[in-house]
Every structure is written in C-alpha cells, then in structure tokens.
Amino acid sequence: MLAVASLWCPRLFLKLLQQFRLADRTDIDLCFNTNLTLMPKPILSELGQFKQVYVGVSVDGYSDSYDLIRFPGRWERVSKNLDCLMSETNFDVGVHFTASALNLDGLFDLIDHLNQKTYSRRLLFNIYLVEEPEEQSFKVLNE
C-alpha cells in the first residue's frame, strides 16, 4: 500500500504518522512532499518506523534565487536540512525544481551545488516546467 501526503502542517502530519503507527500500519510505503524549511526530529523518528519513505523536497532556486522565489524561506536552512536528511536517514529523497522564467538561470547552479555534495546515496532530481501564467513560462526566454 502507498500513502501520499504533503507536509504543510508539521503538527498534523506528526499526528497522522502516529495514528498509522498505533494502528500497526507501518508496513506501507510513504511518500510526502515538503519545502524542508522545517525538519522536526519527532517526525523523522516516526518516519523511521515505516517500511519505505520517499521525501520530495521543493527547491525552486539556489542561494539568492531560492530566497527570492521561496520567501520567507531561506536557502541556508533548506540546504542544511537537506544535508541532514541525506546523512541521518535512509529515506529516498528527490529534489523537485519548478523551472520558470524567474529561476531558470539558477537551475544549473543548483545542479552544480548538489553534484558537489558527497552524499552516500543517490539524490533524485525532478524538473517541472511552468507553462502558465505565460509571463512566468520558460518559453518567454526564447522570444
């Protein structure tokens, strides 16, 4: 069985995980998305009880570009949390980058940054392209 969730409210997400555990349903594959600005230790502890965990991390820029696009998020915090997630867990982790005219220039900087990391396992990288609104579409860069 596969369960999918979004980590939009850490307190509620923690309660959900605890309910799965109390119902003896940790035999599921759990997938969830997060912006990784918060990474509460109790959630990581609960996630460690599940058969398999996939964490999708929304990262729409690198450094200053991230800070602008994901305001009030801060690149330093997300980068630190990503390093922690990759070093302290055995979860499958993927970076989800939504490319637009506003951040496409930071895409290669982000890839270079992640490639310089010495993570002990593979980090998945997904790129999504904005098509609408048209003024933010990557297509306007060709015009």
Side-chain angles (χ1 to χ4, degrees):
M1 181 172 125
L2 173 68
V4 180
S6 290
L7 180 50
W8 54 269
C9 179
R11 190 176 75 251
L12 292 176
F13 188 62
L14 178 59
K15 286 183 183 261
L16 175 68
L17 295 175
Q18 290 168 338
Q19 290 301 313
F20 273 113
R21 182 176 45 78
L22 291 172
D24 199 27
R25 293 310 314 258
T26 57
D27 59 332
I28 63 172
D29 295 344
L30 183 66
C31 303
F32 73 96
N33 295 316
T34 176
N35 60 19
L36 211 54
T37 55
L38 298 174
M39 195 177 62
K41 297 291 183 188
I43 288 179
L44 290 179
S45 178
E46 285 292 331
L47 287 169
Q49 306 297 313
F50 287 83
K51 176 179 157 188
Q52 185 165 355
V53 176
Y54 173 79
V55 183
V57 181
S58 297
V59 179
D60 297 333
Y62 171 73
S63 193
D64 292 341
S65 171
Y66 177 91
D67 292 349
L68 176 67
I69 302 266
R70 286 284 184 164
F71 182 83
R74 304 292 301 159
W75 169 251
E76 265 187 43
R77 174 180 242 175
V78 171
S79 181
K80 180 180 142 210
N81 286 343
L82 181 60
D83 289 345
C84 181
L85 190 64
M86 291 298 291
S87 65
E88 295 181 17
T89 73
N90 62 350
F91 308 149
D92 294 324
V93 180
V95 168
H96 299 239
F97 186 94
T98 301
S100 72
L102 302 174
N103 66 354
L104 195 57
D105 59 333
L107 172 62
F108 297 111
D109 292 334
L110 177 62
I111 291 171
D112 289 343
H113 171 77
L114 294 173
N115 278 334
Q116 291 174 11
K117 297 290 185 174
T118 55
Y119 297 135
S120 61
R121 63 187 187 288
R122 184 174 61 147
L123 175 69
L124 305 173
F125 197 89
N126 302 290
I127 300 172
Y128 304 95
L129 302 176
V130 170
E131 295 190 35
E132 292 183 4
E134 193 170 321
E135 60 273 6
Q136 291 184 14
S137 168
F138 68 96
K139 295 176 193 174
V140 300
L141 299 174
N142 292 331
E143 296 175 359

